[in-house]
Amino acid sequence: TLSRRTGDTEMEMLSSSTYLEYQRLLGENKEHKLNLRGVWNKRSHDEENRSYSYAESGEIIDGTLANEDGPSQIIELKADYTLPMGESRRFESGYQLRTGASEDKTDLSYYNTETSSFERDARFDHFVEYERTIHSAYLIYSEQIGLFSYQGGVRSEIINRSITLPE
């Protein structure tokens, strides 16, 4: 009879980011502007998950060990333009690129009660490559007439995603 189950996770992560932002005022009106932003993130992680099942006597009767590690990288570029049109009207537009790639190596081991150690099951060894690119663009027009204001706009996105499980 199963008495209890325990589990723990250990994770090690290294991460670095670079961020750059630029704003250009395009006239005497401080609302007429162009904003540019860039972000670069790089990350590497190693994760280990262990779980055990114990009999009432405290003896380990089963267990699993799952590992996952791999790097990832994300780049974001963004441009926003604002054009005031008098005191109560405004036009805005923008573009954003988000692209990233990651690799994950995973494996799974089962606890062998006879040897008191984990044994890897190669059926669950996987290497996955993931890439994603998103292009976004928008246009917005807004106006205020007395106490009434309205805003209309459009947004478009194109997504390209690839998930590969090489043999």
Side-chain angles (χ1 to χ4, degrees), residues 80-112:
D80 293 304
Y81 173 71
T82 304
L83 173 64
M85 301 165 69
E87 292 294 316
S88 60
R89 295 182 300 150
R90 159 185 269 173
F91 172 77
E92 298 174 59
S93 65
Y95 170 79
Q96 183 176 27
L97 167 68
R98 291 171 284 173
T99 186
S102 66
E103 298 175 351
D104 284 316
K105 179 184 164 214
T106 59
D107 63 65
L108 181 66
S109 301
Y110 292 103
Y111 189 77
N112 183 329

Side-chain angles (χ1 to χ4, degrees), residues 12-72:
E12 182 179 304
M13 185 180 307
L14 298 172
S15 180
S16 64
S17 295
T18 302
Y19 177 86
L20 180 64
E21 186 160 356
Y22 173 78
Q23 182 180 75
R24 170 83 177 184
L25 299 177
L26 299 171
E28 294 184 22
N29 184 334
K30 293 186 191 248
E31 295 298 312
H32 188 198
K33 59 190 171 190
L34 175 66
N35 289 324
L36 302 174
R37 185 176 82 178
V39 179
W40 175 74
N41 292 311
K42 187 167 178 108
R43 182 183 78 162
S44 178
H45 76 282
D46 295 321
E47 184 176 336
E48 179 180 280
N49 296 293
R50 291 177 184 255
S51 65
Y52 298 96
S53 298
Y54 298 89
E56 289 182 13
S57 65
E59 177 186 2
I60 298 174
I61 57 173
D62 144 312
T64 57
L65 169 62
N67 292 298
E68 178 182 345
D69 41 80
S72 66

